[in-house]
Amino acid sequence: MGPKYSSSRENYLKAIFHLQEIHGTVTTNDVASEMQTRPASVTDMLKKLKAQKLLLYEKYKGFKLSTEGRKVALQIIRKHRLWEYFLVEKLRFGWDEVHEMAEELEHISSKKLVDRLDEFLGFPKTDPHGDPIPDSQGRFTLPRQVDLLNLPVNQQAEVSGIGDQSAEILELLNHKHIALGTRLEVKKKFAFDNSLELKIKNQSPVTISEHVAKNVFVKYEE
Amino acid sequence: MGPKYSSSRENYLKAIFHLQEIHGTVTTNDVASEMQTRPASVTDMLKKLKAQKLLLYEKYKGFKLSTEGRKVALQIIRKHRLWEYFLVEKLRFGWDEVHEMAEELEHISSKKLVDRLDEFLGFPKTDPHGDPIPDSQGRFTLPRQVDLLNLPVNQQAEVSGIGDQSAEILELLNHKHIALGTRLEVKKKFAFDNSLELKIKNQSPVTISEHVAKNVFVKYEE
DNA sequence: AATAAAATTTAGACAAATCTAAAAAATAAT
DNA sequence: ATTATTTTTTAGATTTGTCTAAATTTTATT
Ligand SMILES: [Mn+2]
Ligand SMILES: [Mn+2]
Ligand SMILES: [Mn+2]
Ligand SMILES: [Mn+2]
């Protein structure tokens, strides 16, 4: 037997899941923009997902994933993040190079394969961008973290996640030697443009814009 | 950019390549039977592959892969066999379990990913069924080997390849402890049904049918 | 409340890959 | 050399996923 759902359907489920998580609610336009497609195409797909009972949908009134749809979405996300981890930890790709490949690998259907991969990798908790990897049953925990704008000045903290994960921001962070696990503290906040000056051990201070700061998440004690 | 050719087109190229290798020539019906599809569907696809210059094709007269088509086919085969090797050596699957998964994985498009995987695996020469893995340029060498029917009696030899690779024969070979690399010799040939009695070191003799013997290839010195 | 704007859905079209049934060509048998 | 059989191709449908343009519904503004 091949995959249960087409790659396209799986991509929609994943997009809807993410938008639900972020905004609490999703619209047709949201999905269209996230998927780089047309609202009419989204509506077409909503009907198909509803027919498969993956989505609760009343036309013009809104939609959300069904229990089953959420379950399927989490399995795709699990695969996506495990493959990203594999690419970075075993094949030594950079964290800014793996997304496109994982976008294809996440559609490989064998559940047994994913579970064996998970085991091979030592059951990692988070992917190379700090995002939690759902376990075999789809369970995961959201890490408590704050973005750099909300980190108190002079408070040591460890980078634990990235919001926007475009290759562009990841490349910028690479350049400034900011990676997952990097320990740093905010030394100064400039009220003029909300830019920040950071200190990383054994490095000279670096400056980042408000836009970057909003997308770097850290955790810290106390 | 996504994949250059659809999974379906890639599967056709691979099937045509294999049939060409075995029979020297391929027919529409051959491909249909190999791909479990209809001759009419094959003709449809032949036209598409021709339009993409992957196939040399004159209707009613026959067809074969172009240089480019052969190159693409070899890259798919390379990916198929490297992923099979990964599944067996790293994820500890049995050689009878990996084909279906590799059938999906072979369509992952990134060339860089395959080359890194190859490196990670230590540039293996053959897949878990003894089939040669083409290198990054598509080069490979066919191993010199004979099937068990043609192995002289009492000649020590090492299993180096399997013809028919259905899960059924692989499971049978598993049961009889015949795997790639197994050292064995033929002790007796029964003229009645061409069945063979084999001896594997530290094991009691096993009997295999002519049908099985034809599909087990070995290499030996002198 | 009426109107304007935005969001969403429908209608109708198209490309890819497949199918069935029928026609055409090639091959085999008389 | 005809005729019969097999192989291959065409004609016309179907399914999935997408699109544009137009219609409908909801929401925001006067
Ligand atoms: Mn994807
Ligand atoms: Mn990630
Ligand atoms: Mn395949
Ligand atoms: Mn193989």
Side-chain angles (χ1 to χ4, degrees), chain A residues 41-55:
Chain A
S41 309
V42 175
T43 301
D44 288 343
M45 185 57 81
L46 296 180
K47 289 187 217 163
K48 291 169 195 161
L49 295 175
K50 182 188 181 180
Q52 277 175 117
K53 298 190 191 303
L54 297 168
L55 199 71

Side-chain angles (χ1 to χ4, degrees), chain A residues 18-157:
Chain A
H18 282 134
L19 292 166
Q20 272 186 192
E21 292 288 294
I22 300 165
H23 303 112
T25 183
V26 211
T27 69
T28 303
N29 276 345
D30 286 345
V31 177
S33 127
E34 172 85 4
M35 306 264 310
Q36 312 244 69
T37 185
R38 297 293 167 178
S41 309
V42 175
T43 301
D44 288 343
M45 185 57 81
L46 296 180
K47 289 187 217 163
K48 291 169 195 161
L49 295 175
K50 182 188 181 180
Q52 277 175 117
K53 298 190 191 303
L54 297 168
L55 199 71
L56 307 172
Y57 168 53
E58 298 291 339
K59 70 176 172 180
Y60 290 112
K61 302 192 77 181
F63 55 91
K64 62 174 184 176
L65 293 180
S66 69
T67 307
E68 178 63 16
R70 190 187 142 88
K71 233 177 77 181
V72 175
L74 279 166
Q75 287 308 310
I76 313 300
I77 290 164
R78 169 171 162 78
K79 287 188 278 184
H80 185 102
R81 293 180 179 166
L82 281 172
W83 281 115
E84 281 190 343
Y85 188 95
F86 169 75
L87 294 171
V88 168
E89 295 301 320
K90 300 293 181 179
L91 301 195
R92 301 181 9 264
F93 280 100
W95 70 345
D96 54 338
E97 300 180 289
V98 297
H99 184 77
E100 287 303 302
M101 289 179 268
E103 205 56 48
E104 290 183 45
L105 285 161
E106 70 190 359
H107 304 291
I108 302 295
S109 59
S110 167
K111 176 121 174 60
K112 196 168 169 188
L113 167 51
V114 199
D115 291 344
R116 284 284 181 94
L117 179 65
D118 196 7
E119 184 189 349
F120 175 65
L121 299 174
F123 303 105
K125 293 282 179 303
T126 61
D127 82 359
H129 313 103
D131 294 315
I133 299 175
D135 72 14
S136 185
Q137 270 79 243
R139 290 173 303 221
F140 71 101
T141 44
L142 283 167
R144 282 182 300 93
Q145 51 186 13
V146 294
D147 66 41
L148 280 182
L149 283 182
N150 292 303
L151 177 65
V153 169
N154 291 322
Q155 170 63 61
Q156 265 279 345

